């Protein structure tokens, strides 16, 4: 999260955004499976920043969504609570966060699956925001810290990114490089929190700390609950419902590709058990049960075969030249 005021009339610079797009496309091109939730989060954050004309009237301005504990608690403004992670104060802020999201999201979504990853991101957004709000209110009540934290304005996805970093490195025994400092991977988020606070002005300390604590709380809850969480089950069900029409359309196109004309197909799976279809034994073309001769080669169907009957015995001995001649005679 970044703090500080930002005017409404800002212009969008295009210096770094093409690099972000190129990097994302390159990373996804190399993957055998493209994580859809990570791609959706990248697109959502970028579209909110760019504010295209189709969305401009629908999206609130950044002045309406700054994360401010005082305004959230006083006016019950939940719009600020839920939307502030998806707004960024500038191009470099957006690109830095999205590069980090791309790297973490690909690894986590690939290992966890899209449904569980989406569930985790939703939970971490709510938990990181809630913990940050709780910390700000606690500092006001017990230490009288009003200006530094309770009245602070902040936006950005970095609180969630800190939580994702905690989850990603929770089981790692390796070391990681945090701005030139080599530390155990499981403590990487804490080291990054301290270094960013020391060397990057205007960042939200409570927002980043809330993200780390949210990640730790999520891991603790995950270990104490062995089954699939209800949110994951809901997301999985919704995805299944959305995929059903796509599968239906895909199956329809697949069936149409298997047909070459009229009512039959050539080769492929045996269709003798399909009602109203009989297969010509001379050319393996599947014909409608209403036809008495093969639509492809003209071979006569025997009268006692039923809907899944076979062609006359003599047709099995036809040579390729005979089949060619019959087709020429039939189709001219």
């Amino acid at each position: 999260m970044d703090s500080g005021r930002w005017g409404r009339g800002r212009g969008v610079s295009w210096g770094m955004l093409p690099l972000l797009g190129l990097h994302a496309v390159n990373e996804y091109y190399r993957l055998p499976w493209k994580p859809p939730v990570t791609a959706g989060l990248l697109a959502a954050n970028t579209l909110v920043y760019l504010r295209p004309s189709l969305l401009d009237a629908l999206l609130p301005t950044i002045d309406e969504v700054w994360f401010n504990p005082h305004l959230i608690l006083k006016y019950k403004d939940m719009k600020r609570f839920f939307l502030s992670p998806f707004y960024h104060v500038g191009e470099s802020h957006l690109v830095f966060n999205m590069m980090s999201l791309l790297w973490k999201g690909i690894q986590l979504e690939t290992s966890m699956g899209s449904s569980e990853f989406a569930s985790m991101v939703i939970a971490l957004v709510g938990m990181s925001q809630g913990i940050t709000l709780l910390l700000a209110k606690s500092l006001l009540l017990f230490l009288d810290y009003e200006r530094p934290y309770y009245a602070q304005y902040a936006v950005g996805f970095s609180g969630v990114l800190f939580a994702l970093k905690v989850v990603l490195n929770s089981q790692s025994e390796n070391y990681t490089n945090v701005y030139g400092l080599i530390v155990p991977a499981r403590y990487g988020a804490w080291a990054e929190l301290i270094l960013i606070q020391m060397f990057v002005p205007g960042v939200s300390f409570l927002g980043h700390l809330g993200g780390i604590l949210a990640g730790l709380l999520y891991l603790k809850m995950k270990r104490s609950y062995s089954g699939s969480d209800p949110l994951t089950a809901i997301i999985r069900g919704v995805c299944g419902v959305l995929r059903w029409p796509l599968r239906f359309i895909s199956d329809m196109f697949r069936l149409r590709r298997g047909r070459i004309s009229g009512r039959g197909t050539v080769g492929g799976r045996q269709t003798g058990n399909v009602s109203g279809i009989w297969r010509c034994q001379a050319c393996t073309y599947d014909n409608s049960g209403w036809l008495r001769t093969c639509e492809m080669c003209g071979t006569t169907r025997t009268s006692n075969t039923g809907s899944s009957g076979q062609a006359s015995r003599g047709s099995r001995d036809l040579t390729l030249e005979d089949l060619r001649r019959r087709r020429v005679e039939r189709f001219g």
Side-chain angles (χ1 to χ4, degrees):
M1 288 189 176
D2 274 8
S3 60
R5 273 294 184 181
W6 186 38
R8 297 173 187 235
R10 59 142 177 107
V12 175
S13 169
W14 294 87
M16 299 177 67
L17 285 176
L19 295 178
L20 170 63
L22 185 62
H23 181 69
V25 170
N26 181 58
E27 288 294 320
Y28 267 76
Y29 178 77
R30 296 190 298 109
L31 295 173
W33 177 75
K34 282 58 174 173
V37 177
T38 301
L41 288 171
L42 289 169
N45 280 272
T46 304
L47 286 174
V48 168
Y49 176 75
L50 293 176
R51 299 181 68 88
S53 55
L54 291 175
L55 299 177
D56 189 54
L58 301 175
L59 293 172
T61 65
I62 193 171
D63 288 326
E64 297 174 301
V65 299
W66 284 103
F67 184 89
N68 179 270
H70 169 69
L71 296 178
I72 292 174
L73 293 176
K74 182 177 181 179
Y75 299 106
K76 307 296 187 293
D77 192 350
M78 301 309 293
K79 178 169 74 272
R80 296 178 182 271
F81 185 90
F82 289 110
L83 295 184
S84 58
F86 301 96
Y87 282 70
H88 293 82
V89 296
E91 191 179 32
S92 59
H93 186 207
L94 172 72
V95 171
F96 181 83
N97 279 352
M98 293 304 99
M99 290 286 196
S100 179
L101 172 62
L102 179 65
W103 183 75
K104 295 178 177 70
I106 286 176
Q107 295 184 78
L108 287 169
E109 187 173 356
T110 302
S111 62
M112 300 171 66
S114 295
S115 299
E116 189 173 353
F117 178 71
S119 168
M120 181 182 69
V121 170
I122 293 172
L124 291 178
V125 168
M127 291 165 64
S128 62
Q129 297 287 85
I131 292 174
T132 303
L133 193 64
L134 182 62
L135 289 173
K137 185 64 175 179
S138 300
L139 289 173
L140 173 68
L141 293 177
F142 298 114
L143 299 176
D144 199 25
Y145 278 11
E146 180 176 2
R147 286 300 308 164
Y149 301 118
Y150 193 67
Q152 185 183 62
Y153 290 83
V155 289
F157 208 71
S158 51
V160 183
L161 294 175
F162 269 88
L164 293 177
K165 190 180 187 73
V166 170
V167 175
L168 181 62
N169 293 333
S170 60
Q171 302 297 327
S172 177
E173 299 295 334
N174 298 325
Y175 286 79
T176 185
N177 187 325
V178 182
Y179 303 113
L181 183 65
I182 306 299
V183 297
R186 63 178 60 186
Y187 302 120
W190 292 103
E192 188 172 350
L193 171 69
I194 296 171
L195 290 175
I196 287 181
Q197 197 63 32
M198 290 173 59
F199 299 108
V200 182
V203 297
S204 173
F205 174 74
L206 279 194
H208 294 169
L209 177 60
I212 293 177
L213 296 178
L216 294 173
L217 179 59
Y218 177 84
L219 290 172
K220 185 174 180 61
M221 294 171 61
K222 193 72 176 173
R223 294 188 189 105
S224 63
Y225 184 72
S226 57
S228 176
D229 61 278
L231 187 57
T232 300
I234 293 172
I235 293 175
R236 202 169 281 146
V238 171
C239 291
V241 170
L242 294 177
R243 276 198 298 264
W244 183 85
L246 296 177
R247 279 200 305 266
F248 178 77
I249 294 172
S250 176
D251 291 343
M252 289 292 293
F253 277 104
R254 193 178 297 115
L255 287 173
R256 294 188 68 177
R257 282 199 300 269
R259 303 167 74 94
I260 61 169
S261 68
R263 294 166 292 279
T265 59
V266 175
R269 204 169 39 179
Q270 177 66 29
T271 56
N273 294 328
V274 180
S275 178
I277 298 295
W278 62 276
R279 170 161 292 179
C280 175
Q281 293 300 302
C283 67
T284 73
Y285 187 77
D286 293 331
N287 294 273
S288 167
W290 297 100
L291 298 177
R292 306 305 303 168
T293 59
C294 176
E295 191 176 6
M296 179 58 66
C297 68
T299 301
T300 303
R301 171 187 172 193
T302 57
S303 60
N304 60 347
T305 55
S307 62
S308 60
Q310 299 177 345
S312 61
R313 186 174 188 82
S315 65
R316 300 183 186 180
D317 301 325
L318 289 174
T319 64
L320 291 176
E321 179 61 26
D322 291 334
L323 286 175
R324 188 194 67 79
R325 179 178 52 78
R326 288 193 178 195
R327 289 171 182 168
V328 169
E329 292 174 354
R330 184 168 181 79
F331 297 106

